[in-house]
Amino acid sequence: MAGEPQADCLFCKIVAKEVPATIVRETDTTVAFRDINPQAPTHVLVIPKVHYPDAASLAAAEPQIIADILAESREVAAEDKVEDRGYRVVFNTGAGAGQTVFHAHLHVLGGRGLQWPPG
């Protein structure tokens, strides 16, 4: 069921503290942790504690949680001291966009120049 933890979801297991992660922030609705394959000096994933397969389904069902994730991205950038230099936030929605874990998540990237368009 949408919103419920999924037994086979890596990010649900991180939320449940069943799988270790380098958690940098946690709120009532979100968890932020360092990416295991960072693409920039700051590369943190901000995820909802509820399970939805992608950002689009989360936004349709629980738009306040999408807002919470975006607000946390700013907090992550501030704590990593990239807020003033600039940072990028990215939701990949679907395999064609590069999503590999099908639990909605936002990437916070910063600490180096980020070219446009991305690769």
Side-chain angles (χ1 to χ4, degrees), residues 7-25:
D8 61 344
C9 175
L10 173 63
F11 290 175
C12 287
K13 290 177 182 180
I14 289 172
V15 168
K17 309 283 194 289
E18 296 170 2
V19 170
T22 304
I23 295 174
V24 297
R25 290 189 55 80

Side-chain angles (χ1 to χ4, degrees), residues 94-114:
Q99 186 178 3
T100 58
V101 177
F102 292 89
H103 180 119
H105 58 284
L106 174 126
H107 297 257
V108 181
L109 299 145
R112 70 166 175 82
L114 298 168

Side-chain angles (χ1 to χ4, degrees), residues 22 35 38 60 69 73 83 85 103 111:
T22 304
D35 194 292
I69 290 169
S73 73
E83 182 182 30
R85 294 185 293 162
H103 180 119

Side-chain angles (χ1 to χ4, degrees), residues 11 17 27 29 32 34-35 48-49 58 62 69-71 74 77-78 84 93 104 106 110 118:
F11 290 175
K17 309 283 194 289
T27 70
T29 59
R34 302 237 177 249
D35 194 292
K49 288 185 174 179
L58 176 61
E62 301 197 45
I69 290 169
L70 192 55
R74 186 236 162 247
D84 292 338
T93 300
L106 174 126

